[in-house]
Amino acid sequence: GNISAGAGTEGRYQGGFSLNMFNNNQQISIIGNINNTNASTFNFGTMGGGAMGNMMGGMVRSMGIGRGGAGVGAAFGNFGNNDGISLSKSLGINFRDDWGPKISAYGSYSISERNTRTLNNTTQQNIFQNNTITNIQNSNDYNINTNHRFSFNVEYKLDSFNYIKFSPSINYRITDGENFSAFSFLRNNGSKANEGTTS
């Protein structure tokens, strides 16, 4: 297994773990992540070379919850540059087993949630020949995105060249949020030329 944790200024933190269990042909893996650093939820490019690193990378890609990649110190996410501050949480489970000499099964389930709040404050001044207009705009956006992903595969080997594969999958996404914005146009004498709010 592997555990990673970090903390920084202004209440920033991130943590993640991976747990792998092997028993002959049976493999079970659990990975999780939480951060408020706008990082991608999973990035196992630095989880180690060889079979382990490849297995974790393949597992994350099969769950559909990673962007891959590498980079020193990025084992549990790369810092993002999107607007706002995001709290990201993810959990994934991966399973593989042989149910007999001709039947193998493998699948995964993952859930990820991303909560993002964006505060935007803008002041713009327009200077004309005989007048000055100041435009003040403030906005507060909050968005929640939750993703569930389930996939399962059963393969029955008919012979060395042919097999039958059954592979159901389910993807379910929930999106919610709220927005508030306000604006004011001020004349050079301080009086309001226009104002309004949107919710």
Side-chain angles (χ1 to χ4, degrees):
N2 186 296
I3 296 176
S4 174
T9 59
E10 300 182 17
R12 298 292 177 262
Y13 61 86
Q14 68 176 26
F17 73 92
S18 67
L19 177 64
N20 308 287
M21 294 168 283
F22 303 94
N23 182 17
N24 296 322
N25 291 324
Q26 186 181 79
Q27 303 174 11
I28 300 175
S29 299
I30 303 173
I31 52 178
N33 173 279
I34 184 171
N35 73 78
N36 65 351
T37 59
N38 291 14
S40 59
T41 52
F42 289 105
N43 184 348
F44 285 95
T46 58
M47 288 298 290
M52 178 60 76
N54 293 334
M55 185 206 74
M56 293 303 296
M59 186 184 92
V60 170
R61 286 188 294 274
S62 72
M63 292 180 181
I65 50 177
R67 295 188 302 189
V72 177
F76 287 95
N78 287 328
F79 287 93
N81 58 359
N82 54 299
D83 289 339
I85 300 298
S86 295
L87 171 63
S88 300
K89 297 176 284 186
S90 299
L91 180 67
I93 301 173
N94 195 66
F95 168 82
R96 175 181 289 273
D97 195 10
D98 289 340
W99 291 351
K102 291 189 174 184
I103 300 178
S104 61
Y106 54 96
S108 65
Y109 168 75
S110 67
I111 178 173
S112 62
E113 182 180 275
R114 189 175 185 92
N115 305 340
T116 303
R117 181 172 294 280
T118 306
L119 302 177
N120 211 331
N121 304 300
T122 304
T123 300
Q124 176 182 325
Q125 191 174 59
N126 301 306
I127 301 174
F128 304 100
Q129 185 175 1
N130 298 319
N131 195 12
T132 299
I133 298 292
T134 302
N135 179 10
I136 301 174
Q137 299 185 40
N138 301 309
S139 66
N140 186 340
D141 297 328
Y142 183 65
N143 297 294
I144 303 174
N145 293 299
T146 304
N147 291 282
H148 297 265
R149 181 183 174 96
F150 170 79
S151 64
F152 194 71
N153 299 271
V154 177
E155 295 182 3
Y156 178 75
K157 188 175 181 181
L158 298 173
D159 52 45
S160 58
F161 295 102
N162 302 289
Y163 67 92
I164 298 174
K165 183 176 181 179
F166 175 66
S167 53
S169 64
I170 298 173
N171 294 285
Y172 181 61
R173 180 173 183 175
I174 305 170
T175 302
D176 196 8
E178 58 185 25
N179 166 268
F180 176 81
S181 62
F183 69 90
S184 297
F185 290 90
L186 306 178
R187 300 184 182 93
N188 55 357
N189 61 3
S191 63
K192 291 182 180 180
N194 196 4
E195 66 177 340
T197 60
T198 303
S199 181

